[in-house]
Amino acid sequence: MKQKPTLKVIAKELDVSVSTVSKALRDSKEIGEETKQKVKAFAKLYNYKPNNIALSLKNKKTKTLGVIIPEIVHHFFTTVISGIEHHANDKGYNVIVGLSNESFRKEVINLEMLANGSIDGFIISVAKETLSVKDYHHLSETIDQGIPIVMFDRVIDEIECDKVIVDDAKTSKKAIQKLIDSGCKQIGIISTKDYVSVGKLRTQGYIKALKTNKIDLNEDLILKIDDKFNSDDNLEFLEEQIYSYFENNTIDGLFAVNELYAITAMKVARQKGLKIPEDLQIIGFTDGVLSKHAFPPLTTISQHGFEMGMESAKLLIDRLENTNDEEEPFKTTVVKTDIIERETTKL
C-alpha cells in the first residue's frame, strides 16, 4: 500500500467503516474480537500512527475554535479573524489563533500546539508551502478522526470539508473588464505561481476577460511571483521581479492579485516615471489599510473578510453542534466581492 495509512485508507482496504476502524483501535466493546484483531494487525503492518491532534480534540468539548492563518500583515486576514471572533463569541465560543508564516512545517506544528485538548475544531487558510509540496496528511488525518475543519480563501479541492471562498475567476474578470472599459489596451497581471489556488483562478479570470474582449493574450504580460518562503529578502526580491517586468514590457493597465503586489508595482511605476492613472491604471485584490492610504489611493477588490470570517465560524459551529445522526453534506459558501473605485483607475 503506497498511501500513507489513515483511518479512511484502512477502512477502505478492509471494507469497513471509518467508525469501525476507530473503535477497533480503541478496543471498543462494540466491535467484535475478530474485526478488532484484523484492524490492529493491518494497522501494525503498515505502521499506522493515530492522529493525537484529532484524538485530543475529539475527547473534549471546550467551546474553543482554533484558527490557523498564513500571515498577519495582510489586512485581509485580520478582518477574517475579527469576523470569526464576532460570530464565535456570539455563540459562546472562544478563539485561539496560530500563524503558519506560509510554512508547511509551522502549519503542522500549529495544529499540534493548538490541539492540546482545548480546541473543538479548526478554521484554516492553507500555507503557500503546503500547497506547493501538496502534502495534506495533517489535514486529512484530522478530518478522518471526525474533527471538523473549515477552509477559507486558500482551499484544497482534494480535501472534503466545509469551505468559504470568493469567486476568484469571476472577480478578476470583472476587474480586467473595468480596466478595459477605462481605456486600457495593454493589460498585465502580477500573480502567484499556480500552486496557490487563488492566484491560479485569478489568472484564469484575467485570461477569460481578454478572450471575451477579443484581446490577444501576451504571456509576457503575466508575471507569476514565487514567494512561498517568507524571509527578510522577500520584499526586495518582489521589487526586483516587478522592476524587471516593467523594464521588459509596456503596459497601460495592471491587475495585482494581492495588495502587496499592487503597492509595490505602484512604487516601481513611479520610479520609472509613470503617472498613475494617466499612464498606468492599477487594480489590486484585497481592500486593506495600505490601499486606502497609498498615493494615489488604490482601486481594489473588496473580499469582505469580516463576512468571510463570520461564515467560516458559522459553518464550523453548525457542524460542531449538529445533533443529527447523519452527517450533514459539506458546504462551500461563496462570498460576494465589490470593486472599490479610487484614484488609480479612470472613472
Side-chain angles (χ1 to χ4, degrees), residues 74-86 152-153 164-166 285-288 301-313 335-338:
H74 278 193
H75 178 72
F76 167 68
F77 289 116
T78 62
T79 58
V80 172
I81 292 170
S82 295
I84 291 170
E85 285 201 318
H86 182 81
F152 73 92
D153 189 45
V164 182
I165 59 171
V166 300
F285 215 106
T286 303
D287 186 39
I301 302 292
S302 175
Q303 290 175 270
H304 299 289
F306 187 85
E307 183 183 344
M308 185 173 278
M310 286 189 63
E311 287 294 330
S312 298
V335 176
K336 69 181 181 66
T337 58
D338 297 300

PDB file of all heavy atoms in Angstrom, residues 74-86 152-153 164-166 285-288 301-313 335-338:
ATOM      1  N   HIS A  74      -1.175  41.000   6.295  1.00  0.00           N
ATOM      2  CA  HIS A  74      -2.213  41.358   5.333  1.00  0.00           C
ATOM      3  C   HIS A  74      -3.506  41.701   6.063  1.00  0.00           C
ATOM      4  O   HIS A  74      -4.000  40.932   6.884  1.00  0.00           O
ATOM      5  CB  HIS A  74      -2.463  40.209   4.347  1.00  0.00           C
ATOM      6  CG  HIS A  74      -1.466  40.181   3.221  1.00  0.00           C
ATOM      7  ND1 HIS A  74      -1.632  39.417   2.098  1.00  0.00           N
ATOM      8  CD2 HIS A  74      -0.296  40.819   3.044  1.00  0.00           C
ATOM      9  CE1 HIS A  74      -0.600  39.582   1.277  1.00  0.00           C
ATOM     10  NE2 HIS A  74       0.210  40.421   1.842  1.00  0.00           N
ATOM     11  N   HIS A  75      -4.044  42.853   5.725  1.00  0.00           N
ATOM     12  CA  HIS A  75      -5.273  43.350   6.351  1.00  0.00           C
ATOM     13  C   HIS A  75      -6.407  42.337   6.211  1.00  0.00           C
ATOM     14  O   HIS A  75      -7.241  42.197   7.118  1.00  0.00           O
ATOM     15  CB  HIS A  75      -5.663  44.674   5.688  1.00  0.00           C
ATOM     16  CG  HIS A  75      -6.919  45.277   6.206  1.00  0.00           C
ATOM     17  ND1 HIS A  75      -7.013  45.860   7.455  1.00  0.00           N
ATOM     18  CD2 HIS A  75      -8.161  45.384   5.653  1.00  0.00           C
ATOM     19  CE1 HIS A  75      -8.249  46.302   7.637  1.00  0.00           C
ATOM     20  NE2 HIS A  75      -8.957  46.024   6.571  1.00  0.00           N
ATOM     21  N   PHE A  76      -6.433  41.617   5.104  1.00  0.00           N
ATOM     22  CA  PHE A  76      -7.498  40.649   4.846  1.00  0.00           C
ATOM     23  C   PHE A  76      -7.621  39.638   5.972  1.00  0.00           C
ATOM     24  O   PHE A  76      -8.710  39.365   6.466  1.00  0.00           O
ATOM     25  CB  PHE A  76      -7.231  39.933   3.511  1.00  0.00           C
ATOM     26  CG  PHE A  76      -8.078  38.722   3.284  1.00  0.00           C
ATOM     27  CD1 PHE A  76      -9.446  38.831   3.077  1.00  0.00           C
ATOM     28  CD2 PHE A  76      -7.505  37.450   3.289  1.00  0.00           C
ATOM     29  CE1 PHE A  76     -10.231  37.700   2.875  1.00  0.00           C
ATOM     30  CE2 PHE A  76      -8.284  36.330   3.085  1.00  0.00           C
ATOM     31  CZ  PHE A  76      -9.644  36.458   2.880  1.00  0.00           C
ATOM     32  N   PHE A  77      -6.498  39.072   6.402  1.00  0.00           N
ATOM     33  CA  PHE A  77      -6.545  38.025   7.429  1.00  0.00           C
ATOM     34  C   PHE A  77      -6.975  38.582   8.791  1.00  0.00           C
ATOM     35  O   PHE A  77      -7.637  37.895   9.566  1.00  0.00           O
ATOM     36  CB  PHE A  77      -5.198  37.304   7.530  1.00  0.00           C
ATOM     37  CG  PHE A  77      -4.911  36.425   6.343  1.00  0.00           C
ATOM     38  CD1 PHE A  77      -3.848  36.694   5.495  1.00  0.00           C
ATOM     39  CD2 PHE A  77      -5.718  35.337   6.055  1.00  0.00           C
ATOM     40  CE1 PHE A  77      -3.597  35.894   4.384  1.00  0.00           C
ATOM     41  CE2 PHE A  77      -5.478  34.524   4.955  1.00  0.00           C
ATOM     42  CZ  PHE A  77      -4.413  34.806   4.120  1.00  0.00           C
ATOM     43  N   THR A  78      -6.593  39.820   9.085  1.00  0.00           N
ATOM     44  CA  THR A  78      -7.029  40.406  10.356  1.00  0.00           C
ATOM     45  C   THR A  78      -8.536  40.630  10.363  1.00  0.00           C
ATOM     46  O   THR A  78      -9.191  40.443  11.401  1.00  0.00           O
ATOM     47  CB  THR A  78      -6.300  41.736  10.644  1.00  0.00           C
ATOM     48  OG1 THR A  78      -6.601  42.691   9.626  1.00  0.00           O
ATOM     49  CG2 THR A  78      -4.801  41.533  10.714  1.00  0.00           C
ATOM     50  N   THR A  79      -9.097  41.001   9.215  1.00  0.00           N
ATOM     51  CA  THR A  79     -10.558  41.194   9.157  1.00  0.00           C
ATOM     52  C   THR A  79     -11.284  39.857   9.243  1.00  0.00           C
ATOM     53  O   THR A  79     -12.362  39.772   9.835  1.00  0.00           O
ATOM     54  CB  THR A  79     -10.973  41.932   7.872  1.00  0.00           C
ATOM     55  OG1 THR A  79     -10.541  41.195   6.718  1.00  0.00           O
ATOM     56  CG2 THR A  79     -10.387  43.330   7.825  1.00  0.00           C
ATOM     57  N   VAL A  80     -10.697  38.807   8.661  1.00  0.00           N
ATOM     58  CA  VAL A  80     -11.293  37.471   8.768  1.00  0.00           C
ATOM     59  C   VAL A  80     -11.336  37.037  10.228  1.00  0.00           C
ATOM     60  O   VAL A  80     -12.363  36.533  10.712  1.00  0.00           O
ATOM     61  CB  VAL A  80     -10.522  36.435   7.924  1.00  0.00           C
ATOM     62  CG1 VAL A  80     -11.043  35.027   8.211  1.00  0.00           C
ATOM     63  CG2 VAL A  80     -10.674  36.729   6.432  1.00  0.00           C
ATOM     64  N   ILE A  81     -10.227  37.231  10.942  1.00  0.00           N
ATOM     65  CA  ILE A  81     -10.187  36.871  12.364  1.00  0.00           C
ATOM     66  C   ILE A  81     -11.262  37.625  13.146  1.00  0.00           C
ATOM     67  O   ILE A  81     -11.942  37.055  14.009  1.00  0.00           O
ATOM     68  CB  ILE A  81      -8.792  37.146  12.957  1.00  0.00           C
ATOM     69  CG1 ILE A  81      -7.771  36.182  12.353  1.00  0.00           C
ATOM     70  CG2 ILE A  81      -8.803  36.992  14.482  1.00  0.00           C
ATOM     71  CD1 ILE A  81      -6.333  36.521  12.699  1.00  0.00           C
ATOM     72  N   SER A  82     -11.431  38.909  12.839  1.00  0.00           N
ATOM     73  CA  SER A  82     -12.461  39.706  13.521  1.00  0.00           C
ATOM     74  C   SER A  82     -13.845  39.118  13.286  1.00  0.00           C
ATOM     75  O   SER A  82     -14.666  39.031  14.208  1.00  0.00           O
ATOM     76  CB  SER A  82     -12.419  41.158  13.028  1.00  0.00           C
ATOM     77  OG  SER A  82     -11.208  41.778  13.384  1.00  0.00           O
ATOM     78  N   GLY A  83     -14.107  38.698  12.049  1.00  0.00           N
ATOM     79  CA  GLY A  83     -15.398  38.087  11.728  1.00  0.00           C
ATOM     80  C   GLY A  83     -15.609  36.767  12.438  1.00  0.00           C
ATOM     81  O   GLY A  83     -16.704  36.474  12.941  1.00  0.00           O
ATOM     82  N   ILE A  84     -14.543  35.955  12.500  1.00  0.00           N
ATOM     83  CA  ILE A  84     -14.621  34.670  13.212  1.00  0.00           C
ATOM     84  C   ILE A  84     -14.939  34.913  14.682  1.00  0.00           C
ATOM     85  O   ILE A  84     -15.837  34.285  15.254  1.00  0.00           O
ATOM     86  CB  ILE A  84     -13.298  33.891  13.076  1.00  0.00           C
ATOM     87  CG1 ILE A  84     -13.089  33.414  11.631  1.00  0.00           C
ATOM     88  CG2 ILE A  84     -13.273  32.689  14.025  1.00  0.00           C
ATOM     89  CD1 ILE A  84     -11.711  32.853  11.349  1.00  0.00           C
ATOM     90  N   GLU A  85     -14.199  35.822  15.300  1.00  0.00           N
ATOM     91  CA  GLU A  85     -14.405  36.102  16.726  1.00  0.00           C
ATOM     92  C   GLU A  85     -15.801  36.646  17.003  1.00  0.00           C
ATOM     93  O   GLU A  85     -16.423  36.294  17.999  1.00  0.00           O
ATOM     94  CB  GLU A  85     -13.349  37.087  17.225  1.00  0.00           C
ATOM     95  CG  GLU A  85     -11.966  36.463  17.405  1.00  0.00           C
ATOM     96  CD  GLU A  85     -11.103  37.269  18.353  1.00  0.00           C
ATOM     97  OE1 GLU A  85     -11.125  38.508  18.243  1.00  0.00           O
ATOM     98  OE2 GLU A  85     -10.424  36.663  19.192  1.00  0.00           O
ATOM     99  N   HIS A  86     -16.284  37.501  16.118  1.00  0.00           N
ATOM    100  CA  HIS A  86     -17.606  38.102  16.310  1.00  0.00           C
ATOM    101  C   HIS A  86     -18.690  37.028  16.398  1.00  0.00           C
ATOM    102  O   HIS A  86     -19.502  37.011  17.329  1.00  0.00           O
ATOM    103  CB  HIS A  86     -17.913  39.064  15.165  1.00  0.00           C
ATOM    104  CG  HIS A  86     -19.227  39.772  15.288  1.00  0.00           C
ATOM    105  ND1 HIS A  86     -19.391  40.885  16.083  1.00  0.00           N
ATOM    106  CD2 HIS A  86     -20.441  39.513  14.735  1.00  0.00           C
ATOM    107  CE1 HIS A  86     -20.657  41.291  16.019  1.00  0.00           C
ATOM    108  NE2 HIS A  86     -21.311  40.472  15.196  1.00  0.00           N
ATOM    109  N   PHE A 152     -10.812  28.502   4.399  1.00  0.00           N
ATOM    110  CA  PHE A 152     -11.267  29.737   3.771  1.00  0.00           C
ATOM    111  C   PHE A 152     -10.180  30.313   2.881  1.00  0.00           C
ATOM    112  O   PHE A 152      -9.000  30.081   3.092  1.00  0.00           O
ATOM    113  CB  PHE A 152     -11.719  30.760   4.828  1.00  0.00           C
ATOM    114  CG  PHE A 152     -10.593  31.399   5.601  1.00  0.00           C
ATOM    115  CD1 PHE A 152     -10.015  32.589   5.172  1.00  0.00           C
ATOM    116  CD2 PHE A 152     -10.119  30.821   6.765  1.00  0.00           C
ATOM    117  CE1 PHE A 152      -8.989  33.181   5.886  1.00  0.00           C
ATOM    118  CE2 PHE A 152      -9.094  31.408   7.493  1.00  0.00           C
ATOM    119  CZ  PHE A 152      -8.518  32.593   7.044  1.00  0.00           C
ATOM    120  N   ASP A 153     -10.592  31.057   1.875  1.00  0.00           N
ATOM    121  CA  ASP A 153      -9.716  31.724   0.906  1.00  0.00           C
ATOM    122  C   ASP A 153      -8.888  30.707   0.129  1.00  0.00           C
ATOM    123  O   ASP A 153      -9.249  30.340  -0.979  1.00  0.00           O
ATOM    124  CB  ASP A 153      -8.822  32.747   1.594  1.00  0.00           C
ATOM    125  CG  ASP A 153      -8.053  33.613   0.602  1.00  0.00           C
ATOM    126  OD1 ASP A 153      -8.676  34.067  -0.376  1.00  0.00           O
ATOM    127  OD2 ASP A 153      -6.848  33.834   0.785  1.00  0.00           O
ATOM    128  N   VAL A 164     -15.102  28.336   2.584  1.00  0.00           N
ATOM    129  CA  VAL A 164     -15.616  29.679   2.334  1.00  0.00           C
ATOM    130  C   VAL A 164     -14.652  30.372   1.380  1.00  0.00           C
ATOM    131  O   VAL A 164     -13.459  30.497   1.674  1.00  0.00           O
ATOM    132  CB  VAL A 164     -15.763  30.494   3.630  1.00  0.00           C
ATOM    133  CG1 VAL A 164     -16.350  31.878   3.326  1.00  0.00           C
ATOM    134  CG2 VAL A 164     -16.647  29.763   4.639  1.00  0.00           C
ATOM    135  N   ILE A 165     -15.161  30.800   0.239  1.00  0.00           N
ATOM    136  CA  ILE A 165     -14.317  31.370  -0.811  1.00  0.00           C
ATOM    137  C   ILE A 165     -14.996  32.587  -1.429  1.00  0.00           C
ATOM    138  O   ILE A 165     -16.149  32.900  -1.119  1.00  0.00           O
ATOM    139  CB  ILE A 165     -14.044  30.338  -1.924  1.00  0.00           C
ATOM    140  CG1 ILE A 165     -15.380  29.857  -2.547  1.00  0.00           C
ATOM    141  CG2 ILE A 165     -13.238  29.160  -1.393  1.00  0.00           C
ATOM    142  CD1 ILE A 165     -15.217  28.996  -3.789  1.00  0.00           C
ATOM    143  N   VAL A 166     -14.268  33.280  -2.291  1.00  0.00           N
ATOM    144  CA  VAL A 166     -14.870  34.211  -3.236  1.00  0.00           C
ATOM    145  C   VAL A 166     -14.731  33.578  -4.612  1.00  0.00           C
ATOM    146  O   VAL A 166     -13.922  32.674  -4.803  1.00  0.00           O
ATOM    147  CB  VAL A 166     -14.198  35.605  -3.215  1.00  0.00           C
ATOM    148  CG1 VAL A 166     -14.307  36.240  -1.843  1.00  0.00           C
ATOM    149  CG2 VAL A 166     -12.749  35.538  -3.665  1.00  0.00           C
ATOM    150  N   PHE A 285      -6.147  43.298  -5.590  1.00  0.00           N
ATOM    151  CA  PHE A 285      -7.101  42.419  -4.898  1.00  0.00           C
ATOM    152  C   PHE A 285      -6.875  42.565  -3.391  1.00  0.00           C
ATOM    153  O   PHE A 285      -5.747  42.473  -2.919  1.00  0.00           O
ATOM    154  CB  PHE A 285      -6.873  40.959  -5.309  1.00  0.00           C
ATOM    155  CG  PHE A 285      -8.128  40.140  -5.387  1.00  0.00           C
ATOM    156  CD1 PHE A 285      -8.670  39.775  -6.615  1.00  0.00           C
ATOM    157  CD2 PHE A 285      -8.786  39.738  -4.234  1.00  0.00           C
ATOM    158  CE1 PHE A 285      -9.828  39.009  -6.698  1.00  0.00           C
ATOM    159  CE2 PHE A 285      -9.933  38.968  -4.301  1.00  0.00           C
ATOM    160  CZ  PHE A 285     -10.462  38.605  -5.533  1.00  0.00           C
ATOM    161  N   THR A 286      -7.930  42.792  -2.637  1.00  0.00           N
ATOM    162  CA  THR A 286      -7.977  42.975  -1.187  1.00  0.00           C
ATOM    163  C   THR A 286      -7.916  44.459  -0.842  1.00  0.00           C
ATOM    164  O   THR A 286      -6.963  45.158  -1.198  1.00  0.00           O
ATOM    165  CB  THR A 286      -6.845  42.243  -0.432  1.00  0.00           C
ATOM    166  OG1 THR A 286      -6.898  40.860  -0.751  1.00  0.00           O
ATOM    167  CG2 THR A 286      -7.023  42.379   1.066  1.00  0.00           C
ATOM    168  N   ASP A 287      -8.925  44.896  -0.133  1.00  0.00           N
ATOM    169  CA  ASP A 287      -9.070  46.305   0.222  1.00  0.00           C
ATOM    170  C   ASP A 287      -8.572  46.531   1.648  1.00  0.00           C
ATOM    171  O   ASP A 287      -9.341  46.513   2.601  1.00  0.00           O
ATOM    172  CB  ASP A 287     -10.542  46.717   0.099  1.00  0.00           C
ATOM    173  CG  ASP A 287     -10.735  48.202   0.322  1.00  0.00           C
ATOM    174  OD1 ASP A 287      -9.889  48.980  -0.145  1.00  0.00           O
ATOM    175  OD2 ASP A 287     -11.732  48.587   0.975  1.00  0.00           O
ATOM    176  N   GLY A 288      -7.254  46.724   1.780  1.00  0.00           N
ATOM    177  CA  GLY A 288      -6.661  46.891   3.100  1.00  0.00           C
ATOM    178  C   GLY A 288      -6.272  48.314   3.416  1.00  0.00           C
ATOM    179  O   GLY A 288      -6.532  49.251   2.657  1.00  0.00           O
ATOM    180  N   ILE A 301     -10.314  45.327  -5.103  1.00  0.00           N
ATOM    181  CA  ILE A 301     -11.404  44.366  -4.948  1.00  0.00           C
ATOM    182  C   ILE A 301     -11.581  44.115  -3.455  1.00  0.00           C
ATOM    183  O   ILE A 301     -10.632  43.723  -2.777  1.00  0.00           O
ATOM    184  CB  ILE A 301     -11.090  43.025  -5.644  1.00  0.00           C
ATOM    185  CG1 ILE A 301     -10.808  43.222  -7.132  1.00  0.00           C
ATOM    186  CG2 ILE A 301     -12.218  42.020  -5.412  1.00  0.00           C
ATOM    187  CD1 ILE A 301     -11.999  43.649  -7.951  1.00  0.00           C
ATOM    188  N   SER A 302     -12.770  44.344  -2.940  1.00  0.00           N
ATOM    189  CA  SER A 302     -13.040  44.027  -1.540  1.00  0.00           C
ATOM    190  C   SER A 302     -13.534  42.591  -1.436  1.00  0.00           C
ATOM    191  O   SER A 302     -14.526  42.216  -2.056  1.00  0.00           O
ATOM    192  CB  SER A 302     -14.091  44.983  -0.957  1.00  0.00           C
ATOM    193  OG  SER A 302     -14.428  44.585   0.358  1.00  0.00           O
ATOM    194  N   GLN A 303     -12.836  41.791  -0.622  1.00  0.00           N
ATOM    195  CA  GLN A 303     -13.222  40.390  -0.411  1.00  0.00           C
ATOM    196  C   GLN A 303     -14.192  40.229   0.752  1.00  0.00           C
ATOM    197  O   GLN A 303     -14.650  39.127   1.024  1.00  0.00           O
ATOM    198  CB  GLN A 303     -11.979  39.541  -0.105  1.00  0.00           C
ATOM    199  CG  GLN A 303     -11.045  39.354  -1.278  1.00  0.00           C
ATOM    200  CD  GLN A 303      -9.785  38.623  -0.864  1.00  0.00           C
ATOM    201  OE1 GLN A 303      -8.795  39.236  -0.476  1.00  0.00           O
ATOM    202  NE2 GLN A 303      -9.789  37.313  -0.954  1.00  0.00           N
ATOM    203  N   HIS A 304     -14.474  41.310   1.450  1.00  0.00           N
ATOM    204  CA  HIS A 304     -15.360  41.261   2.615  1.00  0.00           C
ATOM    205  C   HIS A 304     -14.872  40.203   3.605  1.00  0.00           C
ATOM    206  O   HIS A 304     -15.566  39.237   3.916  1.00  0.00           O
ATOM    207  CB  HIS A 304     -16.803  40.991   2.185  1.00  0.00           C
ATOM    208  CG  HIS A 304     -17.356  42.053   1.270  1.00  0.00           C
ATOM    209  ND1 HIS A 304     -17.668  43.318   1.706  1.00  0.00           N
ATOM    210  CD2 HIS A 304     -17.631  42.037  -0.056  1.00  0.00           C
ATOM    211  CE1 HIS A 304     -18.119  44.044   0.685  1.00  0.00           C
ATOM    212  NE2 HIS A 304     -18.097  43.295  -0.395  1.00  0.00           N
ATOM    213  N   GLY A 305     -13.639  40.411   4.100  1.00  0.00           N
ATOM    214  CA  GLY A 305     -13.004  39.458   5.006  1.00  0.00           C
ATOM    215  C   GLY A 305     -13.805  39.212   6.274  1.00  0.00           C
ATOM    216  O   GLY A 305     -13.859  38.084   6.770  1.00  0.00           O
ATOM    217  N   PHE A 306     -14.429  40.257   6.806  1.00  0.00           N
ATOM    218  CA  PHE A 306     -15.216  40.100   8.034  1.00  0.00           C
ATOM    219  C   PHE A 306     -16.358  39.106   7.805  1.00  0.00           C
ATOM    220  O   PHE A 306     -16.595  38.208   8.619  1.00  0.00           O
ATOM    221  CB  PHE A 306     -15.778  41.461   8.473  1.00  0.00           C
ATOM    222  CG  PHE A 306     -16.469  41.443   9.809  1.00  0.00           C
ATOM    223  CD1 PHE A 306     -15.734  41.591  10.983  1.00  0.00           C
ATOM    224  CD2 PHE A 306     -17.837  41.281   9.903  1.00  0.00           C
ATOM    225  CE1 PHE A 306     -16.362  41.572  12.228  1.00  0.00           C
ATOM    226  CE2 PHE A 306     -18.477  41.254  11.134  1.00  0.00           C
ATOM    227  CZ  PHE A 306     -17.732  41.406  12.303  1.00  0.00           C
ATOM    228  N   GLU A 307     -17.049  39.269   6.668  1.00  0.00           N
ATOM    229  CA  GLU A 307     -18.139  38.354   6.337  1.00  0.00           C
ATOM    230  C   GLU A 307     -17.614  36.938   6.112  1.00  0.00           C
ATOM    231  O   GLU A 307     -18.241  35.953   6.523  1.00  0.00           O
ATOM    232  CB  GLU A 307     -18.875  38.845   5.090  1.00  0.00           C
ATOM    233  CG  GLU A 307     -20.068  37.987   4.703  1.00  0.00           C
ATOM    234  CD  GLU A 307     -20.753  38.447   3.422  1.00  0.00           C
ATOM    235  OE1 GLU A 307     -20.501  39.592   2.984  1.00  0.00           O
ATOM    236  OE2 GLU A 307     -21.516  37.653   2.849  1.00  0.00           O
ATOM    237  N   MET A 308     -16.451  36.827   5.463  1.00  0.00           N
ATOM    238  CA  MET A 308     -15.851  35.510   5.228  1.00  0.00           C
ATOM    239  C   MET A 308     -15.540  34.824   6.554  1.00  0.00           C
ATOM    240  O   MET A 308     -15.763  33.613   6.718  1.00  0.00           O
ATOM    241  CB  MET A 308     -14.582  35.650   4.381  1.00  0.00           C
ATOM    242  CG  MET A 308     -13.951  34.332   3.994  1.00  0.00           C
ATOM    243  SD  MET A 308     -12.565  34.516   2.823  1.00  0.00           S
ATOM    244  CE  MET A 308     -13.441  34.659   1.269  1.00  0.00           C
ATOM    245  N   GLY A 309     -15.040  35.607   7.527  1.00  0.00           N
ATOM    246  CA  GLY A 309     -14.760  35.055   8.844  1.00  0.00           C
ATOM    247  C   GLY A 309     -16.021  34.600   9.556  1.00  0.00           C
ATOM    248  O   GLY A 309     -16.048  33.518  10.165  1.00  0.00           O
ATOM    249  N   MET A 310     -17.066  35.414   9.489  1.00  0.00           N
ATOM    250  CA  MET A 310     -18.328  35.048  10.120  1.00  0.00           C
ATOM    251  C   MET A 310     -18.900  33.770   9.520  1.00  0.00           C
ATOM    252  O   MET A 310     -19.372  32.887  10.240  1.00  0.00           O
ATOM    253  CB  MET A 310     -19.347  36.198   9.991  1.00  0.00           C
ATOM    254  CG  MET A 310     -19.067  37.372  10.896  1.00  0.00           C
ATOM    255  SD  MET A 310     -20.432  38.574  10.909  1.00  0.00           S
ATOM    256  CE  MET A 310     -21.771  37.614  11.599  1.00  0.00           C
ATOM    257  N   GLU A 311     -18.855  33.666   8.189  1.00  0.00           N
ATOM    258  CA  GLU A 311     -19.378  32.479   7.509  1.00  0.00           C
ATOM    259  C   GLU A 311     -18.567  31.234   7.889  1.00  0.00           C
ATOM    260  O   GLU A 311     -19.126  30.145   8.071  1.00  0.00           O
ATOM    261  CB  GLU A 311     -19.353  32.683   5.992  1.00  0.00           C
ATOM    262  CG  GLU A 311     -20.398  33.645   5.461  1.00  0.00           C
ATOM    263  CD  GLU A 311     -21.815  33.115   5.637  1.00  0.00           C
ATOM    264  OE1 GLU A 311     -22.004  31.884   5.615  1.00  0.00           O
ATOM    265  OE2 GLU A 311     -22.733  33.938   5.804  1.00  0.00           O
ATOM    266  N   SER A 312     -17.241  31.388   8.011  1.00  0.00           N
ATOM    267  CA  SER A 312     -16.382  30.259   8.390  1.00  0.00           C
ATOM    268  C   SER A 312     -16.734  29.765   9.788  1.00  0.00           C
ATOM    269  O   SER A 312     -16.859  28.554  10.024  1.00  0.00           O
ATOM    270  CB  SER A 312     -14.906  30.677   8.347  1.00  0.00           C
ATOM    271  OG  SER A 312     -14.523  31.062   7.043  1.00  0.00           O
ATOM    272  N   ALA A 313     -16.890  30.705  10.722  1.00  0.00           N
ATOM    273  CA  ALA A 313     -17.239  30.334  12.097  1.00  0.00           C
ATOM    274  C   ALA A 313     -18.615  29.688  12.155  1.00  0.00           C
ATOM    275  O   ALA A 313     -18.840  28.726  12.901  1.00  0.00           O
ATOM    276  CB  ALA A 313     -17.186  31.566  12.996  1.00  0.00           C
ATOM    277  N   VAL A 335     -18.603  34.118  -0.994  1.00  0.00           N
ATOM    278  CA  VAL A 335     -18.846  35.485  -0.514  1.00  0.00           C
ATOM    279  C   VAL A 335     -18.693  36.450  -1.683  1.00  0.00           C
ATOM    280  O   VAL A 335     -17.749  36.351  -2.473  1.00  0.00           O
ATOM    281  CB  VAL A 335     -17.849  35.842   0.608  1.00  0.00           C
ATOM    282  CG1 VAL A 335     -18.013  37.296   1.045  1.00  0.00           C
ATOM    283  CG2 VAL A 335     -18.042  34.908   1.799  1.00  0.00           C
ATOM    284  N   LYS A 336     -19.605  37.378  -1.801  1.00  0.00           N
ATOM    285  CA  LYS A 336     -19.584  38.326  -2.920  1.00  0.00           C
ATOM    286  C   LYS A 336     -18.422  39.309  -2.773  1.00  0.00           C
ATOM    287  O   LYS A 336     -17.890  39.525  -1.674  1.00  0.00           O
ATOM    288  CB  LYS A 336     -20.901  39.105  -3.001  1.00  0.00           C
ATOM    289  CG  LYS A 336     -21.142  40.085  -1.870  1.00  0.00           C
ATOM    290  CD  LYS A 336     -22.468  40.787  -2.038  1.00  0.00           C
ATOM    291  CE  LYS A 336     -22.725  41.794  -0.913  1.00  0.00           C
ATOM    292  NZ  LYS A 336     -21.781  42.925  -0.914  1.00  0.00           N
ATOM    293  N   THR A 337     -18.023  39.907  -3.888  1.00  0.00           N
ATOM    294  CA  THR A 337     -16.945  40.903  -3.891  1.00  0.00           C
ATOM    295  C   THR A 337     -17.441  42.190  -4.548  1.00  0.00           C
ATOM    296  O   THR A 337     -18.439  42.182  -5.275  1.00  0.00           O
ATOM    297  CB  THR A 337     -15.727  40.392  -4.673  1.00  0.00           C
ATOM    298  OG1 THR A 337     -16.134  40.087  -6.017  1.00  0.00           O
ATOM    299  CG2 THR A 337     -15.128  39.164  -4.031  1.00  0.00           C
ATOM    300  N   ASP A 338     -16.735  43.271  -4.293  1.00  0.00           N
ATOM    301  CA  ASP A 338     -17.062  44.567  -4.909  1.00  0.00           C
ATOM    302  C   ASP A 338     -15.780  45.256  -5.346  1.00  0.00           C
ATOM    303  O   ASP A 338     -14.725  45.077  -4.731  1.00  0.00           O
ATOM    304  CB  ASP A 338     -17.792  45.484  -3.909  1.00  0.00           C
ATOM    305  CG  ASP A 338     -19.136  44.920  -3.465  1.00  0.00           C
ATOM    306  OD1 ASP A 338     -19.989  44.710  -4.338  1.00  0.00           O
ATOM    307  OD2 ASP A 338     -19.307  44.689  -2.248  1.00  0.00           O
TER     308      ASP A 338
END
